[in-house]
Amino acid sequence: MSVVVVSGTGTEIGKTVTTAAVAAVALAAGRSVAVLKPAQTGVGPGEPGDVDEVRRLAGEGVTGRELARFPEPLAPATAARRAGLAPVTPAEVAEAAEKLAASHDLVLVEGAGGLLVHLDDTGATLADAARELGAPVLVVATAGLGTLNVTRLTGEALRARGLETLGVVIGSWPAEPDLAARCNVAELSPMAGAPLLGAVPEGAGGLDGERFRAEAAGWLGAELGGTWEAGAFASASAS
């Protein structure tokens, strides 16, 4: 598993912090890691983007690459069109990821928004890039009310395209989870049709890099190189 696509069930749900956690754990295990951001939106020239945030949290040992940047915080296809810039295509994403994979043990491809937002005006999506790469998709989901529907929809969209769902990570687990969040822990895996592989605590992105790297393994399951256990987490959440 040299390339993993990281997608979310929506936007602003913890994809970047989850990507950083996976990268940090892999680096700590002695693996070389690259993070690819096909389309960075909502960030102007010279401003730090998601790749910079991953490197701040996971460490400067991460190789970062951004294919395109569009200033308005919109879906990539819309942002590219409004900026008068060329969009990113799935073929370009696949080519860049494969080049990085030739010199790195792990390449994490972080999408923008959800799985099926348009990369270009042909309707191409991150799912198309994952298909070209033959890469599994790690789904980042929210914890609270409404997450089961979008998680199931994402899982069904992946299966309909013959893509592997590596698992689900809760991108921001609240310090004081409500009833919906606690109940959803047991439901996310069957809804996604894939295992629950971790829960990143709320506010993790605000930690300094040293502390983030020290704690990241405790947020991710063994499949992602961590020590987090789904059964123990579910039991603790239910109590």
Side-chain angles (χ1 to χ4, degrees):
M1 185 174 61
S2 60
V3 180
V4 173
V5 173
V6 182
S7 185
T9 57
T11 191
E12 300 297 327
I13 60 173
K15 284 193 307 297
T16 299
V17 177
T18 299
T19 299
V22 176
V25 171
L27 280 177
R31 304 177 73 191
S32 55
V33 181
V35 171
L36 173 65
K37 184 75 176 183
Q40 174 69 68
T41 64
V43 178
E47 296 178 350
D50 291 342
V51 169
D52 300 291
E53 181 66 359
V54 170
R55 296 185 77 238
R56 181 186 74 81
L57 293 170
E60 294 185 358
V62 174
T63 299
R65 183 161 182 215
E66 183 182 285
L67 294 186
R69 174 173 289 210
F70 310 115
E72 293 180 318
L74 303 168
T78 306
R81 188 187 323 118
R82 286 177 54 83
L85 298 171
V88 177
T89 67
E92 291 171 328
V93 177
E95 180 182 8
E98 287 167 350
K99 286 182 178 178
L100 289 169
S103 56
H104 294 81
D105 298 320
L106 176 64
V107 179
L108 299 169
V109 181
E110 185 194 340
L115 179 71
L116 299 184
V117 297
H118 289 180
L119 292 176
D120 61 27
D121 287 335
T122 71
T125 69
L126 186 67
D128 295 310
R131 184 163 49 195
E132 289 209 26
L133 284 162
V137 178
L138 180 65
V139 176
V140 182
T142 58
L145 197 65
T147 194
L148 298 183
N149 178 60
V150 289
T151 299
R152 181 168 181 172
L153 287 171
T154 300
E156 289 190 358
L158 288 167
R159 287 191 294 276
R161 290 162 175 78
L163 297 171
E164 176 191 352
T165 306
L166 181 63
V168 179
V169 173
I170 298 171
S172 181
W173 179 252
E176 297 183 4
D178 60 14
L179 177 62
R182 297 197 306 273
C183 291
N184 287 343
V185 170
E187 300 293 335
L188 278 170
S189 175
M191 285 293 177
L196 185 62
L197 298 183
V200 178
E202 180 181 61
L207 300 175
D208 63 73
E210 183 176 359
R211 183 175 172 190
F212 184 93
R213 293 187 287 275
E215 297 184 12
W219 309 332
L220 303 174
E223 296 89 339
L224 297 174
T227 59
W228 181 91
E229 296 182 0
F233 183 78
S235 296
S237 300
S239 61

